[in-house]
Amino acid sequence: CAAKVSELDRKATVQGEELLKSEAVLVSDAAFGLAKAVVADTRPAAGEVVGVAEQGSYIAVLDKAKGGKLGLDVDYMAERLVLPIMAVTGGLAGDWNTSNPGTALKKGDSIVEVNGVRGNVAVMLEKCKSDVVLNLVLSRAMTYDHLVSDLENLVNVKHCGPILIRLSWHDAGVFMQGKGGCPNAAMRFTDKGEGAWEANAGLPTVALSLLAPITQKYCPDLISHADLWALAANVSIRVMGGPDVPTRFGRADATSSADGLVANDGRLPDGDKGSDHLRAIFKPKGFDDRDIVALSGAHTVGKCHLERSGFDGPWTESPLQFDNTYYTEMMAKTFTAETTSKGCPQHRHTASGTMMLVSDLALLEDDAFKPYVQEFANDQSAFFSAYTKAWIKLQENGCESMLRDVL
C-alpha cells in the first residue's frame, strides 16, 4: 500500500497563536471519531516548540591505521537505517572522546552515515569493519527510549494526547477489507487525497506541527512517520492513564498523496448517525460489536469545537484522563437533544456541560451494543483489555505482515 521511506516533510512545521489555558484541551475522534473534522485548539505559539532530548549531528573520524580496537559496540538490525551505539569500550573511540570532548561518542547516539553511506546498515557495518579511516556522522540521543521520553514530554507539556490518538486513528482507519488502505502517513501531503479530506482537517497542520520537533529528529532515520504516529498515540493513551498498548514497527511511508486514498468513501464514521452506520463502517475493517463499543471508548478523552466540527463540548468531565468515564457518564447522566448553532444534532448534559453525539448514544439504544456499554462502565479493566485488542487491530490493519516487535 505504501512506498519506500521518504525524507520529504522532515522540516515541515506550522506555527500557531498561543491559546488560553482553558482552550488547551485537544479534540479526539480517537478510535471512533467523526468524519466531520474536529480540530484541536492547542498549537505551539509562534516560535515555541516543545524540546526534545539532546539532539544534533556531529562528525567523528576514527583512523584504524593507528592500531588498536575500534571501541564501539553497536546495535545492528537490518530493518533500521541507523546503528545505535550500545557502549563505548575504549580503543579508538575512547581516544577520540579524550581528544574531542565536544563531539564525544556516547551510548544512545546513533551512527547515521559511514564514509558517505547512509540508509543501508549492512553496508555501513561492513565499512566499519573493513575501511581503514572511518568518517562517521552521528546523531545525539537517537534511540527508542529517547523517542518515547520525548513523546511523553510532548503529551505532558502540550496536553495533546487526544489529537495524537486521532492522528493514528485516521491514518489507520482508512483500511477496508477488499478495498485496501493502510497506515502510511499519507496525510503529510495536502495537495489532494487523505491530507485534503475534510475529515482530517487539523491533522496535517495542528497535529503534525506539535510533532514537528520529534519528526525532524527521528524520521526517517530511526522511525517512519507512520510508525511514529502509531507510537505517539499509544504513548498518549498510557500517559493519560490508559492501558500500555504495545506498538509494532515497520509501516512504510507514503512518498506522495498518490500513495494514499483519493476519496473518503465510507472509510470514517459520522457522529450524527446511528448503529447501522457504525456497523457499516467498522464491520469491513474486521470489528465486531464489542470492538465497536470498545473503540468508541476513546471518546473518554478530547472534546468537539463548534467552529470546526459543528459539534460542541467534551464527552466527559475529565477530557485528558483515559479511563472508563465515557461509559459511566453515558449510563448515569440524562442528556437532552439539541441542535448546535451550526445545525448539528447532539445531546447535552446541562449541569456538567458534557455532551454525547448521536453515534455515542446509539450504543445505549442498540440492544446488541448496550450490554458492552454496561460491561465497560462496571469494569474498567475489561474496557482496557477490549480496547487494547481492538486498537492494535486498527493500527495494524493492512500492514500486519511487515511489522516487527522491535524498532
Side-chain angles (χ1 to χ4, degrees), residues 177 278-289 292 369:
Q177 292 172 343
L278 298 183
R279 291 189 177 94
I281 293 294
F282 284 99
K283 294 289 185 178
K285 304 181 193 301
F287 296 113
D288 60 24
D289 284 355
I292 295 171
F369 283 149

Side-chain angles (χ1 to χ4, degrees), residues 157-201:
V157 172
K158 298 302 294 182
H159 308 300
C160 59
I163 201 172
L164 297 182
I165 296 171
R166 179 178 172 235
L167 179 66
S168 176
W169 152 233
H170 280 224
D171 188 36
V174 297
F175 171 83
M176 292 180 69
Q177 292 172 343
K179 294 185 178 181
C182 70
N184 64 358
M187 276 184 279
R188 291 164 22 248
F189 306 98
T190 57
D191 56 321
K192 57 183 178 180
E194 294 175 39
W197 290 356
E198 182 183 357
N200 292 334

Side-chain angles (χ1 to χ4, degrees), residues 71-130:
L72 282 177
D73 290 341
V74 298
D75 185 13
Y76 170 79
M77 190 167 70
E79 293 85 357
R80 291 196 185 114
L81 301 180
V82 299
L83 294 169
I85 296 175
M86 298 176 66
V88 178
T89 59
L92 298 176
D95 293 343
W96 172 269
N97 287 356
T98 300
S99 302
N100 303 274
T103 54
L105 300 153
K106 298 180 182 179
K107 176 182 178 181
D109 294 353
S110 285
I111 301 170
V112 299
E113 183 178 305
V114 179
N115 291 348
V117 175
R118 64 168 60 209
N120 188 325
V121 289
V123 175
M124 291 162 60
L125 186 62
E126 183 57 36
K127 282 187 166 293
C128 286
K129 296 176 181 177
S130 62

Side-chain angles (χ1 to χ4, degrees), residues 169-366:
W169 152 233
H170 280 224
D171 188 36
V174 297
F175 171 83
M176 292 180 69
Q177 292 172 343
K179 294 185 178 181
C182 70
N184 64 358
M187 276 184 279
R188 291 164 22 248
F189 306 98
T190 57
D191 56 321
K192 57 183 178 180
E194 294 175 39
W197 290 356
E198 182 183 357
N200 292 334
L203 296 177
T205 51
V206 178
L208 296 192
S209 174
L210 288 160
L211 275 177
I214 294 174
T215 299
Q216 291 164 14
K217 177 180 176 181
Y218 294 101
C219 296
D221 288 339
L222 184 69
I223 189 170
S224 70
H225 293 269
D227 279 346
L228 174 62
W229 296 4
L231 179 62
N234 295 344
V235 169
S236 297
I237 290 166
R238 174 175 54 79
V239 168
M240 291 189 292
D244 189 358
V245 181
T247 307
R248 295 204 297 162
F249 305 95
R251 297 165 185 82
D253 284 335
T255 58
S256 72
S257 59
D259 292 327
L261 298 174
V262 175
N264 175 20
D265 51 349
R267 306 274 176 157
L268 302 172
D270 293 318
D272 58 358
K273 293 182 174 63
S275 57
D276 289 344
H277 171 73
L278 298 183
R279 291 189 177 94
I281 293 294
F282 284 99
K283 294 289 185 178
K285 304 181 193 301
F287 296 113
D288 60 24
D289 284 355
R290 192 167 192 264
D291 295 329
I292 295 171
V293 178
L295 289 173
S296 302
H299 276 170
T300 197
V301 294
K303 62 185 293 187
C304 294
H305 294 267
L306 179 65
E307 67 277 14
R308 295 174 174 90
S309 68
F311 300 102
D312 179 43
W315 285 272
T316 71
E317 296 178 36
S318 300
L320 290 176
Q321 181 66 36
F322 197 105
D323 55 23
N324 69 335
T325 54
Y326 170 75
Y327 306 106
T328 59
E329 293 189 19
M330 186 186 296
M331 295 287 295
K333 293 178 177 178
T334 298
F335 295 89
T336 302
E338 66 178 18
T339 301
T340 70
S341 61
K342 300 293 185 179
C344 295
Q346 62 177 43
H347 297 78
R348 177 80 61 187
H349 181 251
T350 305
S352 67
T354 60
M355 64 90 206
M356 290 284 167
L357 303 170
V358 171
S359 56
D360 296 313
L361 292 185
L363 303 180
L364 274 182
E365 295 164 355
D366 185 280

